[in-house]
Amino acid sequence: MMNIVFLNTFEKKQESEGIVTSQLSIGEAHGVWQLTWHEPDHGQMEQSVWYSGTSWEELLTVFRHGVAVKLGEGFSPIIDGMASDPEPSGRLVRSQLLACYSDLYPNEALYTLLSQWRRSRATADKKAPYFIATNRMLRLISVFVPQTMEELHQLPGFGENKVNLYGEEIVSLLHDAERTTEFPLGWVKERVSRDEYAQWQYKQKEQKYKQEMDRLAEQKRLLEGIQQGSSITDLEEYCSMSRRNILIALETLDRDGYDTERLIEEELRQVPMEEQAAIWSAMERDGYRYLKPILLEVYGDTGLQGEQAAMYYERIRLVRIRYRRQRDLDNQQRQAG
């Protein structure tokens, strides 16, 4: 028998049907949680199981995502405050309003032009494009079209360093672009209605929790592969992930307390013990946060090229998992003693 531990009613106003009343419940039976949405359909209460499983963390993530979707569809909970985040500060509200406006009134042609510039600049600087500017920052530029360094500085994300590095290029790129708005941007809060802002916030939460759901699903599949004795090569196909992303995920799993040692031991069998010891010693001397200094110390400049560099970085990450684990254990023992 399912024990109901949470129940809330949602209402949605519709012109043709009046108020539609639905319910969201969380139940538990024999250690299995179930999250269920109940919505009327042709006079019958139909149920949709959003989640069924043993992980409370997964359930909460699905819960938050589902509630954000329903809020975006116009439902309102009788018990308010669900899936709510702390109230944003004044500066954050301003940033969110600008982002909301840029989504409501996009300039796709100028955004495409800015994306091409970012790609070229990233290639020239040998950086990932998001280090130059995020998609959100390009959206803001394309909509508000700053034409001076001072105006660019008013957009979220463009501090002194970013403006000094890329401001002149961006302003030059926008020199002939048509602008229908003006700076300063205080007028934006009057142009975005309360309902538009609320709907935009719901959509942001929906996307945020969807990403968290995808992360948990990816983590679950990765753990299943590890338990089955898969190698990193096997996991690439099983999880549809790159080797680099698998290594990054392994580090996260190990920090979170999951047992990854069998896989690490198997992968390090092909790495000479002298090489592992050299990596370990480099971490003891220089720290383990940054990989490149370790690579240079252990392998020299020759280790910076192509596939060979990827292989060396992989070995360093594998040793770093063990090093961090041993360091944490030593710290615990010192505190206990």
Side-chain angles (χ1 to χ4, degrees):
M1 180 178 177
M2 186 69 66
N3 299 309
I4 302 300
V5 298
F6 172 86
L7 179 66
N8 200 357
T9 298
F10 287 70
E11 294 183 342
K12 178 182 180 180
K13 294 181 180 179
Q14 291 187 336
E15 293 183 5
S16 59
E17 303 177 38
I19 296 179
V20 176
T21 302
S22 303
Q23 289 185 329
L24 181 63
S25 65
I26 298 176
E28 184 273 336
H30 307 294
V32 177
W33 298 101
Q34 184 163 296
L35 177 63
T36 309
W37 175 261
H38 309 263
E39 187 169 343
D41 183 25
H42 298 93
Q44 299 291 325
M45 205 66 163
E46 298 292 330
Q47 75 171 30
S48 174
V49 178
W50 290 359
Y51 174 81
S52 181
T54 58
S55 172
W56 180 253
E57 181 184 10
E58 286 185 50
L59 181 144
L60 283 180
T61 302
V62 176
F63 172 88
R64 292 174 180 133
H65 174 261
V67 169
V69 171
K70 293 303 177 182
L71 292 176
E73 292 176 358
F75 283 94
S76 298
I78 298 300
I79 302 174
D80 207 353
M82 302 181 65
S84 61
D85 295 324
E87 284 296 319
S89 64
R91 178 175 295 182
L92 181 56
V93 169
R94 177 184 179 277
S95 298
Q96 290 182 346
L97 284 170
L98 295 181
C100 177
Y101 183 91
S102 70
D103 286 344
L104 291 172
Y105 305 99
N107 185 336
E108 295 299 342
L110 191 51
Y111 177 77
T112 299
L113 179 65
L114 288 163
S115 297
Q116 293 170 349
W117 164 79
R118 179 180 63 177
R119 186 162 51 250
S120 298
R121 185 62 196 259
T123 300
D125 291 355
K126 297 181 180 180
K127 293 181 179 179
Y130 64 86
F131 278 121
I132 308 297
T134 64
N135 291 343
R136 171 59 65 199
M137 291 162 71
L138 295 190
R139 288 285 179 197
L140 292 169
I141 298 171
S142 67
V143 170
F144 296 109
V145 197
Q147 294 180 343
T148 67
M149 303 279 272
E150 291 74 16
E151 289 179 349
L152 181 62
H153 201 5
Q154 295 179 42
L155 297 181
F158 286 95
E160 290 292 339
N161 185 55
K162 193 75 71 174
V163 170
N164 289 336
L165 285 173
Y166 311 116
E168 290 185 2
E169 290 183 49
I170 294 172
V171 169
S172 176
L173 193 66
L174 301 175
H175 183 266
D176 296 324
E178 181 183 0
R179 184 163 82 177
T180 59
T181 61
E182 60 183 21
F183 285 79
L185 302 173
W187 54 267
V188 173
K189 63 183 178 182
E190 305 298 332
R191 290 284 301 276
V192 177
S193 71
R194 183 184 296 271
D195 286 343
E196 287 173 332
Y197 182 46
Q199 291 298 312
W200 180 84
Q201 286 182 307
Y202 296 149
K203 180 59 66 175
Q204 302 311 300
K205 289 180 181 180
E206 178 183 341
Q207 294 172 354
K208 170 186 173 182
Y209 296 133
K210 177 62 166 59
Q211 291 174 352
E212 180 65 13
M213 287 170 59
D214 291 343
R215 185 191 69 80
L216 289 173
E218 181 182 88
Q219 180 188 86
K220 185 175 182 180
R221 192 156 180 81
L222 189 58
L223 287 169
E224 288 174 352
I226 294 173
Q227 291 171 359
Q228 293 168 9
S230 300
S231 65
I232 292 179
T233 301
D234 297 331
L235 291 172
E236 286 184 273
E237 180 176 357
Y238 185 71
C239 300
S240 300
M241 297 172 63
S242 67
R243 292 184 71 88
R244 181 177 182 276
N245 286 340
I246 289 173
L247 265 293
I248 293 173
L250 281 176
E251 290 193 275
T252 300
L253 287 173
D254 196 82
R255 282 198 301 268
D256 290 343
Y258 292 97
D259 184 8
T260 62
E261 178 56 29
R262 189 213 59 77
L263 175 59
I264 294 169
E265 181 177 1
E266 194 63 33
E267 294 293 332
L268 285 175
R269 284 186 190 278
Q270 58 189 318
V271 183
M273 293 302 298
E274 296 81 2
E275 186 175 331
Q276 294 185 46
I279 295 171
W280 191 285
S281 297
M283 290 181 183
E284 287 183 325
R285 286 190 299 272
D286 306 324
Y288 61 86
R289 183 176 180 182
Y290 299 107
L291 300 181
K292 190 173 181 178
I294 299 171
L295 182 142
L296 288 171
E297 181 171 340
V298 177
Y299 302 104
D301 293 340
T302 57
L304 295 176
Q305 305 301 319
E307 294 183 0
Q308 188 179 43
M311 179 185 69
Y312 289 154
Y313 275 123
E314 181 174 309
R315 292 178 177 182
I316 293 170
R317 286 186 184 277
L318 289 168
V319 173
R320 182 166 70 173
I321 293 174
R322 281 183 166 175
Y323 180 85
R324 181 188 287 117
R325 193 191 306 148
Q326 185 61 50
R327 179 176 174 275
D328 291 344
L329 180 61
D330 291 343
N331 288 337
Q332 291 174 7
Q333 290 176 343
R334 281 196 293 270
Q335 291 173 3

